[in-house]
Amino acid sequence: MKSRNFTITCLVLLISFILFQTCAKDDLGREQNFLEEEQTSQESTSVIEKIKAMGGYDVKDIVEFRDFYIVEGDVAFPKNVKDFKAGRRASSSFGTYRYDANNLFPLTGTSQFIDVYSYISTTTIGDPWFDAINQSISDWNSGSSCINMRLVNDPNGADIYIKDMFPNGDGGGSSLYGFADNFVTSHHADIYINLQFDSGNTAVNEKRNIISRGLGHTIGFLRNDLRTPATPSMLGLSDVNSIMTAGIVDRDDAIIGLTATDHQLRDHLYSSTNDCGLARMTGTINGPKGICVNARPTTCTWSGSGVIDEWRGSSNLNLSNETGTSVDVSATSEGTATLEALQNGSVVGTLSIRVSGRPVPDNIYSTVITGPDTLYTNLFNARLYRLSDPNFRNAVTSVEWVVFSYVYEGADRFIQIQSPYAGEQYWAMLTAVTGTPKGLYTVQCRVSNSCGTYTFDKEFFVDNTRIIALEF
């Protein structure tokens, strides 16, 4: 009986302990959730306050969408205050766009290319979104500003990404046609397009205007009709058809693309004076002063500030393995070659290279070795062989005379060569010593420099010394 009561008592205590632990966890969970909600609320308030503090934005109709606040209908700011960079865009490969006290958005980087990658289109002409993106990029690139966008096939390292706002296909009921980042968290900006807007029947002109407007936002342009700093109003202009005007994307019968006022504003904000505001690099190209034609590639390196966008060579140079700090060069023809290092389309370094080849006779068909066709064995039967016209294109650094035979190995043991002879390096005195095997031999003159050797050959026959009988 006591054992039974003890068992019941233990069960009651165990159940009480479990209930206590559960309640404690629930209370801890509620407290943790409360703290997280409070922190989220504080961060949200901080982001909204930062947006207001920037100035130039109308925050009356802030819309929450996923992880963003949508301001002015299509400008996105992150809800996470840690991702928010008020008043400044982060550096990227094409430079820094910033909202500053002068209301300008200057390029200040090491490359003026703005790479755009699209997730919403193919790369085929005739794809409506592909055509719209190309036309929009062309709109922003035209004129005399520093803006130089290009559509790329590789998403790695792109500066602007064009994405589907509703990749799961659930955007049919949304009134948003798209929005664009006005911030950067990982050195790029995103444009989100609602591909289901109007049941996917977005008109051709609307597509172009949507993309053009999105590109404008990613590089700092705000709404025109709100008279924010980065608009025609800053120049004392008024243009209801500006691409940055609210609703312009809905009017497919309106002026398409950038207007003349938009071009004027773009050229003002992104002025091409002073190298487009890009840091002018200084340095030198380190490399050889001379190379040989058709030789193996030689590496040239950049020594200076920044990196090189493009290497450019003269027509007789082949370039390979190009990087921001080095390039391999080889030459295809003789003469003077020029290697240039370019930054933002401007030449920031030049290297002049002398391209040489092996020695080649001026009279390639008439320059030959002259000398007897037969050489008799005897120390007293030495004979002279020489080049008939020793004039060469390209420098000559050495001249060598050798004798060989396709029949007898080690022909130089039998044929003695004296060169230079009488002070002339293109002359050689040959003697066939007694015992030299009869047969055909070749004398060769090798004219060389660091780029190669040009050879001249002459065959001759070695015979025994003639014995002349004398009669008394």
Side-chain angles (χ1 to χ4, degrees):
M1 185 67 178
K2 292 182 179 179
S3 175
R4 182 180 177 185
N5 290 337
F6 177 77
T7 302
I8 292 173
T9 302
C10 290
L11 287 173
V12 170
L13 291 174
L14 178 61
I15 292 171
S16 299
F17 177 76
I18 292 173
L19 289 174
F20 174 78
Q21 289 288 79
T22 302
C23 291
K25 288 182 179 178
D26 287 344
D27 291 340
L28 181 60
R30 291 193 196 98
E31 183 178 356
Q32 184 174 355
N33 290 338
F34 173 77
L35 292 174
E36 290 177 352
E37 290 174 1
E38 185 178 17
Q39 181 180 3
T40 301
S41 176
Q42 291 175 351
E43 289 184 352
S44 298
T45 302
S46 299
V47 169
I48 294 174
E49 291 302 320
K50 285 180 179 293
I51 295 174
K52 291 180 179 179
M54 285 183 66
Y57 287 108
D58 187 346
V59 295
K60 291 185 300 182
D61 301 316
I62 295 179
V63 178
E64 292 189 45
F65 181 81
R66 294 178 184 165
D67 298 328
F68 306 100
Y69 287 115
I70 308 299
V71 183
E72 298 183 356
D74 60 353
V75 182
F77 292 90
K79 289 182 179 179
N80 188 345
V81 70
K82 295 177 182 179
D83 295 332
F84 187 86
K85 293 177 171 56
R88 180 175 176 84
R89 289 182 56 84
S91 296
S92 73
S93 63
F94 59 83
T96 299
Y97 295 96
R98 66 176 184 269
Y99 180 92
D100 62 20
N102 296 322
N103 304 322
L104 300 179
F105 303 82
L107 282 160
T108 55
T110 57
S111 171
Q112 74 182 104
F113 285 118
I114 304 174
D115 290 341
V116 181
Y117 181 81
S118 170
Y119 286 99
I120 69 170
S121 65
T122 65
T123 56
T124 304
I125 296 176
D127 181 315
W129 282 107
F130 176 76
D131 292 344
I133 293 169
N134 270 324
Q135 291 167 345
S136 301
I137 287 176
S138 178
D139 287 341
W140 282 106
N141 286 349
S142 61
S144 58
S145 77
C146 295
I147 295 175
N148 191 3
M149 300 182 187
R150 61 184 180 183
L151 190 61
V152 296
N153 296 323
D154 186 355
N156 293 322
D159 303 302
I160 299 173
Y161 295 96
I162 302 176
K163 302 177 178 180
D164 184 357
M165 189 163 68
F166 296 98
N168 296 325
D170 54 351
S174 175
S175 61
L176 284 173
Y177 46 73
F179 62 89
D181 286 347
N182 197 49
F183 67 99
V184 173
T185 59
S186 57
H187 306 305
H188 70 266
D190 295 323
I191 298 173
Y192 291 90
I193 302 298
N194 183 2
L195 300 180
Q196 287 86 50
F197 181 77
D198 194 18
S199 300
N201 296 318
T202 309
V204 174
N205 291 342
E206 287 180 340
K207 289 182 172 67
R208 179 175 175 182
N209 283 337
I210 289 171
I211 298 296
S212 294
R213 183 180 170 92
L215 290 174
H217 279 319
T218 63
I219 60 175
F221 287 81
L222 307 182
R223 282 264 294 275
N224 173 44
D225 52 316
L226 295 174
R227 303 177 83 63
T228 48
T231 67
S233 62
M234 69 177 294
L235 299 180
L237 304 172
S238 177
D239 186 359
V240 296
N241 287 320
S242 166
I243 194 63
M244 305 310 296
T245 300
I248 189 66
V249 293
D250 298 324
R251 292 180 283 168
D252 58 359
D253 58 342
I255 296 176
I256 307 305
L258 275 65
T259 65
T261 305
D262 291 327
H263 286 290
Q264 186 174 351
L265 176 67
R266 176 206 59 206
D267 294 347
H268 172 76
L269 293 178
Y270 291 91
S271 173
S272 59
T273 59
N274 192 27
D275 292 325
C276 294
L278 294 161
R280 183 76 174 184
M281 297 193 313
T282 58
T284 57
I285 301 175
N286 302 312
K289 299 300 182 183
I291 60 176
C292 298
V293 65
N294 298 323
R296 291 184 176 182
T298 300
T299 300
C300 297
T301 59
W302 170 252
S303 176
S305 59
V307 295
I308 300 302
D309 294 334
E310 178 187 358
W311 295 93
R312 187 167 62 193
S314 52
S315 59
N316 59 340
L317 278 186
N318 281 333
L319 307 185
S320 59
N321 299 325
E322 298 180 45
T323 71
T325 56
S326 65
V327 62
D328 291 343
V329 300
S330 59
T332 58
S333 61
E334 299 174 19
T336 299
T338 302
L339 176 64
E340 296 176 332
L342 282 79
Q343 166 62 29
N344 307 307
S346 300
V347 177
V348 294
T350 303
L351 178 65
S352 182
I353 304 173
R354 182 184 69 259
V355 181
S356 303
R358 65 174 182 167
V360 177
D362 292 341
N363 299 312
I364 193 169
Y365 297 109
S366 61
T367 302
V368 295
I369 297 176
T370 61
D373 295 329
T374 302
L375 187 63
Y376 294 98
T377 58
N378 193 298
L379 292 177
F380 301 103
N381 283 325
R383 293 293 183 266
L384 179 66
Y385 293 82
R386 62 185 181 86
L387 285 184
S388 60
D389 187 5
N391 294 301
F392 293 88
R393 184 177 76 247
N394 298 325
V396 175
T397 57
S398 68
V399 177
E400 180 185 16
W401 290 83
V402 297
V403 172
F404 59 89
S405 171
Y406 296 106
V407 178
Y408 305 110
E409 185 177 355
D412 55 342
R413 293 179 300 166
F414 306 108
I415 309 295
Q416 296 179 349
I417 302 175
Q418 183 183 353
S419 181
Y421 182 75
E424 296 288 344
Q425 61 180 348
Y426 298 108
W427 291 11
M429 185 67 74
L430 271 60
T431 303
V433 300
T434 302
T436 299
K438 294 174 56 176
L440 195 62
Y441 293 79
T442 300
V443 58
Q444 183 178 82
C445 180
R446 301 172 179 174
V447 182
S448 305
N449 63 17
S450 59
C451 292
T453 300
Y454 196 97
T455 60
F456 303 86
D457 293 349
K458 178 177 174 57
E459 292 183 336
F460 63 92
F461 190 82
V462 172
D463 200 356
N464 293 329
T465 301
R466 292 172 295 178
I467 300 175
I468 302 175
L470 298 178
E471 295 182 358
F472 296 92

